[in-house]
């Protein structure tokens, strides 16, 4: 959101917080950490000299590298490092702000073009690093802003407008007020305030720095929330919305504003353990819910929710401790950032695909302690083989296969093992690689593109080929994968 600022430090802090809350996938989280490091270097500054800007870029890169457990060169980290190095060299040579940023921009473009030479998987696919490309867009947009241009550096694809109709009354809810505000701290901590606010409602987020943080909470006592927070500092940008009135406006009904919560709406005591995970497709969502997942985050076709989506779902789970299943390798970093926002009660089992997520979920027991559950889940993840049948979107050479757009790909634990033109045949070829005599169960989740007749034909054929195993075929209705396969 655009708002007046007192200087570059405040703008940098706003960018850091906004990028963190909107981060999607590994690249989004890394970008948010780059901004976080820059904000730390520019904190409280009204303006920045060329040397200070270059130093901020350098500290941003250091923060981003620290956020990644095993940094890989040839990614956006390399692009950022090269940009920061050129910026510092230019600043030390006496360059002005435009020269420093321009040098960083030029280095970013040059290094992006070199990423396929640094990372073999990019060279095989014939592409540059996607995160690095996104970072180049940031440098381009920054240069446009410094030159006073209003045109966007990147032409974004606008999402299609969504028409919606609210057909059901909302009824009474436990926490009808949505409160949001900034708090400028006076000698306290984010964690302490978050802990005290937990009893006042749900959907709680307290994020920011030791000096300034944003609070969001659904509550039935907004006055008490504000009074409590005033003990910790000064408040600004206070917005309190009545969600029942908002809903009434949508449906055209006169739902009265609640003066107090109804007596019948007594919140249930928190469970000892809650489980949250990511899924996409009505069938897969139903499967996870039937297996005991308390909340399923709809990650969309790409299974890639934002940090804020993850933090909100975990915070909204009525449990003392929450296990989170990413079910996508690209969500793990976002989950780690969400854990910083919600506190220590969130535990991440780094599941990298749907079969691993289901295996982990089945291994978790509500009567076991957290250490035991995490060990059981980790062991279950190692014991499942995960296969996926999808399609190629670009031409390239990957894992020894020459790929053209539209080719059907059979993947095992993330690597391409089979390529063909028919999803069913690719599935059978993939299973031939996956199944051994020691295995006992094949589970296949059928995607949106496969109709019922095709699904039944696949079930019959797999049963014929592997009559010595239990075979289960279920609708997953996922968008990007014809089939998702688990062999155990």
């Amino acid at each position: 959101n655009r708002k007046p600022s007192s200087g570059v430090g405040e703008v940098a802090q706003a960018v850091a917080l906004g990028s963190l809350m909107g981060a999607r996938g590994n690249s989004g989280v890394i970008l948010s950490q780059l901004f976080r490091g820059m904000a730390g270097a520019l904190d409280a500054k009204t303006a920045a000299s060329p040397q200070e800007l270059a130093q901020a870029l350098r500290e941003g890169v250091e923060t981003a590298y620290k956020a990644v457990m095993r940094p890989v060169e040839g990614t956006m980290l390399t692009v950022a490092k090269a940009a920061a190095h050129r910026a510092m060299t230019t600043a030390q040579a006496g360059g002005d702000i435009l020269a420093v940023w321009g040098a960083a921009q030029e280095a970013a473009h040059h290094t992006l073009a070199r990423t396929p030479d640094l990372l073999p998987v990019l060279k095989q696919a014939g592409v540059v690093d996607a995160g690095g490309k996104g970072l180049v867009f940031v440098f381009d947009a920054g240069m446009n802003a410094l030159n006073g241009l209003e045109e966007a550096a990147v032409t974004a694809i606008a999402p299609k407008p969504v028409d919606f109709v609210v057909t059901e009354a909302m009824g009474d809810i436990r926490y009808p007020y949505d409160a949001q505000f900034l708090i400028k701290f006076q000698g306290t901590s984010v964690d302490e305030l978050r802990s005290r606010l937990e009893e006042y409602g749900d959907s709680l987020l307290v994020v920011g720095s030791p000096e300034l943080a944003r609070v969001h909470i659904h509550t039935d006592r907004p006055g008490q929330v504000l009074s409590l927070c005033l003990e910790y500092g000064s408040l600004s940008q206070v917005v309190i919305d009545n969600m029942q009135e908002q809903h009434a406006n949508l449906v055209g009904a006169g739902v009265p504003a609640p003066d107090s919560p109804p007596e019948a709406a007594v919140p249930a005591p928190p469970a000892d353990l809650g489980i949250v995970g990511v899924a996409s497709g009505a069938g897969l969502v139903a499967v996870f819910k039937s297996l005991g997942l308390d909340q399923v985050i709809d990650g969309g076709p790409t299974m890639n929710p934002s940090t804020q989506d993850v933090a909100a779902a975990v915070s909204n789970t009525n449990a003392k401790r929450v296990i989170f299943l990413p079910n996508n390798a690209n969500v793990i970093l976002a989950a780690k950032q969400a854990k910083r926002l919600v506190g220590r009660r969130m535990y991440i089992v780094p599941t990298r695909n749907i079969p691993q997520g289901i295996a982990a979920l089945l291994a978790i027991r509500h009567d076991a302690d957290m250490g035991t559950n995490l060990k059981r889940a980790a062991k279950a993840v190692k014991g499942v083989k995960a296969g996926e049948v999808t399609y190629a979107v670009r031409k390239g050479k990957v894992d020894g296969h020459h790929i053209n757009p539209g080719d059907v790909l059979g993947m095992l634990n993330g690597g391409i093992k089979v390529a063909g033109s028919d999803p069913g045949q690719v599935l059978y070829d993939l299973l031939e690689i996956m199944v051994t005599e020691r295995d006992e169960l094949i589970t296949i989740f059928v995607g949106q593109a496969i109709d019922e007749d095709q699904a039944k034909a696949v079930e019959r054929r797999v049963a014929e080929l592997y009559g010595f195993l239990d075979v289960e075929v279920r609708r997953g209705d996922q968008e990007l994968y014809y089939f998702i396969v688990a062999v155990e």
Side-chain angles (χ1 to χ4, degrees):
N1 294 328
R2 296 186 178 184
K3 65 182 183 68
S5 68
S6 60
V8 66
E10 186 176 339
V11 171
Q13 291 291 349
V15 171
L17 180 58
S19 63
L20 174 60
M21 298 307 294
R24 292 181 184 272
N26 294 348
S27 297
V29 172
I30 292 171
L31 180 63
S32 75
Q33 295 310 290
L34 177 68
F35 286 142
R36 176 169 168 255
M38 292 182 67
L42 297 171
D43 188 38
K45 295 184 183 297
T46 302
S49 68
Q51 185 81 20
E52 288 170 334
L53 175 60
Q55 183 62 33
L57 279 170
R58 174 179 287 180
E59 293 192 22
V61 170
E62 291 176 358
T63 302
Y65 266 87
K66 290 176 182 177
V68 181
M69 184 173 297
R70 288 182 290 273
V72 176
E73 297 302 334
T75 64
M76 68 184 298
L77 289 170
T78 308
V79 175
K81 181 169 63 175
H85 177 73
R86 282 287 301 279
M88 182 59 71
T89 301
T90 304
Q92 290 172 343
D96 61 11
I97 288 289
L98 277 174
V100 168
W101 193 266
Q105 179 190 23
E106 182 182 354
H109 276 271
H110 177 71
T111 305
L112 175 68
R114 291 181 53 244
T115 54
D117 297 325
L118 300 172
L119 200 57
V121 66
L122 298 177
K123 196 174 189 68
Q124 286 184 350
V127 297
V128 297
D129 179 68
K133 182 69 172 177
L135 184 57
V136 164
F137 287 155
V138 172
F139 281 111
D140 289 347
M143 181 56 73
N144 274 12
L146 288 172
N147 284 318
L149 300 178
E150 294 185 359
E151 293 83 0
V154 183
T155 301
I157 300 175
K160 296 180 180 179
V162 178
D163 295 325
F164 65 92
V165 178
V166 180
T167 58
E168 296 181 1
M170 190 175 188
D172 292 322
I173 57 175
R174 179 70 179 90
Y175 301 113
Y177 295 101
D178 184 319
Q180 302 182 55
F181 51 88
L182 287 175
I183 177 168
K184 187 175 182 180
F185 285 118
Q186 296 174 351
T188 188
S189 72
V190 171
D191 292 339
E192 181 182 337
L193 178 58
R194 183 188 299 117
S195 177
R196 290 196 63 187
L197 282 174
E198 284 185 350
E199 65 179 275
Y200 286 86
D202 60 17
S203 297
L204 173 64
L205 288 176
V206 184
V207 294
S209 68
E211 292 78 30
L212 183 70
R214 176 165 291 280
V215 176
H216 171 273
I217 187 172
H218 292 171
T219 182
D220 60 330
R221 295 170 286 172
Q224 293 183 32
V225 167
L226 296 180
S227 296
L228 171 63
C229 290
L230 282 169
E231 297 177 16
Y232 289 84
S234 58
L235 308 185
S236 62
Q237 297 185 23
V238 178
V239 177
I240 300 175
D241 291 317
N242 185 312
M243 292 183 289
Q244 284 190 325
E245 286 186 348
Q246 290 177 331
H247 185 270
N249 291 334
L250 288 175
V251 299
V255 178
D259 296 323
S260 60
E263 293 184 5
V266 177
D272 288 330
L273 176 65
I275 311 173
V276 177
V278 182
S280 178
L284 287 176
V285 169
V287 167
F288 273 103
K289 286 184 176 179
S290 70
L291 294 177
L293 211 65
D294 293 281
Q295 288 202 55
V296 182
I297 304 174
D298 188 346
T302 58
M303 285 273 294
N304 203 10
S306 69
T307 298
Q308 185 174 16
D309 294 334
V310 175
V314 172
S315 297
N316 206 30
T317 300
N318 189 27
K320 297 175 182 177
R321 299 168 301 162
V322 177
I323 292 177
F324 179 72
L325 307 175
N327 301 335
N328 182 351
N330 205 32
V331 180
I332 294 174
L333 266 182
K336 290 179 179 178
Q337 295 304 313
K339 182 176 179 178
R340 293 180 57 219
L341 305 181
V342 302
R344 296 181 179 178
R345 69 189 187 102
M346 177 180 172
Y347 301 83
I348 302 169
V349 177
T351 51
R352 308 177 76 85
N353 48 58
I354 290 294
Q356 288 184 356
I358 292 175
L361 184 57
L362 290 172
I364 294 170
R365 296 181 55 176
H366 283 264
D367 58 350
D369 62 79
M370 183 58 68
T372 299
N373 271 327
L374 295 178
K375 289 179 182 178
R376 287 173 56 88
K379 182 178 179 181
V381 166
K382 291 180 181 178
V384 64
K385 289 175 280 188
E388 297 159 324
V389 178
T390 184
Y391 56 89
V393 296
R394 62 173 64 92
K395 184 178 181 179
K397 183 180 179 182
V398 184
D399 294 336
H401 298 275
H402 292 277
I403 306 299
N404 292 304
D407 284 356
V408 181
L409 309 177
M411 305 177 70
L412 174 59
N413 296 329
I416 297 176
K417 299 297 182 182
V418 182
S421 58
D422 176 70
Q425 187 58 51
V426 169
L427 171 65
Y428 306 142
D429 293 342
L430 182 62
L431 283 172
E432 188 173 348
I433 297 172
M434 295 177 68
V435 177
T436 69
E437 293 181 354
R438 297 188 300 273
D439 295 316
E440 299 176 351
L441 173 65
I442 299 174
T443 305
I444 301 174
F445 297 100
V446 179
Q448 219 173 66
I450 304 298
D451 62 32
E452 282 303 311
D453 290 339
Q454 292 173 306
K456 290 178 180 177
V458 164
E459 185 171 14
R460 288 193 298 269
R461 181 59 176 157
V462 174
E464 290 172 2
L465 292 171
Y466 303 99
F468 58 96
L469 299 182
D470 292 328
V471 176
E472 184 176 357
V473 177
R474 303 186 63 169
R475 289 221 68 91
D477 293 319
Q478 64 274 4
E479 290 188 40
L480 299 183
Y481 299 90
Y482 298 110
F483 303 101
I484 294 175
V485 188
V487 176
E488 301 171 77

